[in-house]
Structure formats: structure tokens, C-alpha cells
Amino acid sequence: MKIRAFWILLALLLATMVFAAGIVMADRDGRGGDDDWSEQFFRSWLKTDNRLNESQYSQLYREECGSCHFPFQPVFLPTASWQTMMHHLDDHFGENAELSDEDHANLLNYLTSNAADKVNREIPNKIMWSLRYTSSPQRITDTAFFKHEHDEIPYTVMNKKTGEQLSFSNCDTCHRRAMQGSYNEHEIDIPGIGRWED
């Protein structure tokens, strides 16, 4: 009985230490116990790094796809979505984005190897969970995950300074470190509106 009580006490002590460390880290970065302190504390455990896989093909991806739009990290769509998209580049959302056979094969392999269903990290896991009852979408903005994360932002947001409508597809307009794979809500800065306070 004494041994069992010892292990229970030890478990409670460890849980208290983890909780206290999380509060300290939340206070240190100026958020003072914000509701997502655990995300910061367990960042390495949750594997939140969503940066592009640094390879010759990620560079090709940024050059070919990023020349027309934000080069979305492959983890934002499942394999089936990337396959469908890459097989219809002659009509890529109204544009012809056809590639040479070699570039097409390399980019298809890169995108499908790093797709949401192939990478075990926080965001792709949430994306796959959000798609459990639906078919593979062609747009990241059509995933339930994306809609949930942006549900408090009006569909048509106007830049107060320029009068232009902001597009959800230009991630780096508001997520200042999107190219580095960071979508932390504390780094959101909407042009003409300012920092987003959830």
C-alpha cells in the first residue's frame, strides 16, 4: 500500500511541475497564461514544424508554384488532393500551369511525400481529422480545419488602408511567418486592421 501511495504522489508531483513550467513559459513570452500555453510548452512533442521540406524539389516548388501564388506547405492537403491537382494542371483554377514531364514528376513526388496523410505533425493530423467524413478537397480553404481556424474572420475582409479585399489564399498577407511554416495566432497582423486578438 505504501508503494502505491508513493507512485501516486510522484505522479502528482510530476504533473504539478509540468503545469508550473508551462505557466512560466507562457508568462515569459508575454502571454500570461493564454489559453494555448500548452501548445508552446509541448511544441516539440506536438511536432508543429510545418516548414517546407528543404530539398531540391522544395526549391523547384517555390520557383514554379510560388511564382504565381503563395507556395502552400504540402501538409495542408492529403495525397489524393495533390494527385488530382497535379493531374489537371492544364486547368489549374482557370489557369494553365502545365510543367515539363520531369518537373511534373518531381513536384508530384514532393507534394505527395509531404502531404497531410504522410506527415505526423499537429496541423496535418488536425487536417486529416477534419476530412474524415469528406472527400479530398481541391482547395485548402475548403477543409473543415481551415474553416474552423478562420471562422471568426469575416469572409470578405477589406484592407482599411488600400480598400482592397484580402484573400484567404494569400497566407503570408496576415500570417507574417507563413513561409517559415509558422501560423501562430499571436503572429497574425491583418493589413489595415492590425494584430488579430482572438
Side-chain angles (χ1 to χ4, degrees):
M1 195 64 158
K2 288 182 180 178
I3 293 175
R4 183 174 177 212
F6 169 78
W7 287 111
I8 291 172
L9 211 65
L10 183 61
L12 287 171
L13 179 64
L14 287 172
T16 302
M17 289 172 60
V18 166
F19 181 76
I23 290 174
V24 168
M25 290 188 74
D27 285 340
R28 189 174 66 191
D29 70 3
R31 292 202 315 267
D34 214 6
D35 62 351
D36 64 347
W37 67 267
S38 59
E39 179 184 331
Q40 297 297 318
F41 183 64
F42 295 110
R43 184 171 297 280
S44 62
W45 293 358
L46 293 171
K47 301 176 183 174
T48 58
D49 183 2
N50 298 297
R51 286 175 290 188
L52 293 168
N53 179 13
E54 292 304 322
S55 71
Q56 60 179 322
Y57 303 127
S58 66
Q59 181 62 32
L60 177 65
Y61 175 64
R62 282 194 291 262
E63 289 171 2
E64 289 293 340
C65 304
S67 64
C68 296
H69 58 73
F70 177 79
F72 306 101
Q73 283 82 7
V75 297
F76 282 111
L77 286 174
T79 300
S81 296
W82 290 120
Q83 288 173 331
T84 302
M85 191 178 302
M86 290 297 289
H87 286 112
H88 296 94
L89 289 180
D90 59 327
D91 184 13
H92 185 64
F93 304 108
E95 300 290 331
N96 186 334
E98 290 180 296
L99 300 163
S100 69
D101 290 345
E102 181 182 1
D103 285 350
H104 185 277
N106 288 333
L107 289 182
L108 178 61
N109 181 59
Y110 168 70
L111 292 168
T112 57
S113 297
N114 294 283
D117 51 332
K118 300 285 178 66
V119 178
N120 183 23
R121 293 186 183 137
E122 182 186 20
I123 289 178
N125 290 344
K126 287 180 177 179
I127 289 168
M128 291 310 298
W129 178 254
S130 79
L131 296 175
R132 65 195 182 280
Y133 301 124
T134 59
S135 60
S136 299
Q138 291 309 294
R139 296 178 185 270
I140 294 167
T141 54
D142 288 340
T143 64
F145 169 78
F146 182 93
K147 291 175 182 177
H148 174 266
E149 292 298 308
H150 297 83
D151 64 351
E152 294 179 6
I153 301 172
Y155 189 75
T156 54
V157 178
M158 302 299 287
N159 182 332
K160 290 180 180 175
K161 289 182 180 176
T162 65
E164 296 176 15
Q165 182 174 328
L166 302 176
S167 170
F168 279 137
S169 61
N170 296 328
C171 303
D172 56 344
T173 300
C174 302
H175 295 273
R176 298 304 183 177
R177 295 183 60 237
M179 275 298 285
Q180 291 76 38
S182 177
Y183 294 88
N184 186 306
E185 65 184 39
H186 302 288
E187 298 170 348
I188 298 172
D189 187 5
I190 303 173
I193 295 172
R195 289 178 57 88
W196 180 255
E197 299 297 335
D198 193 10

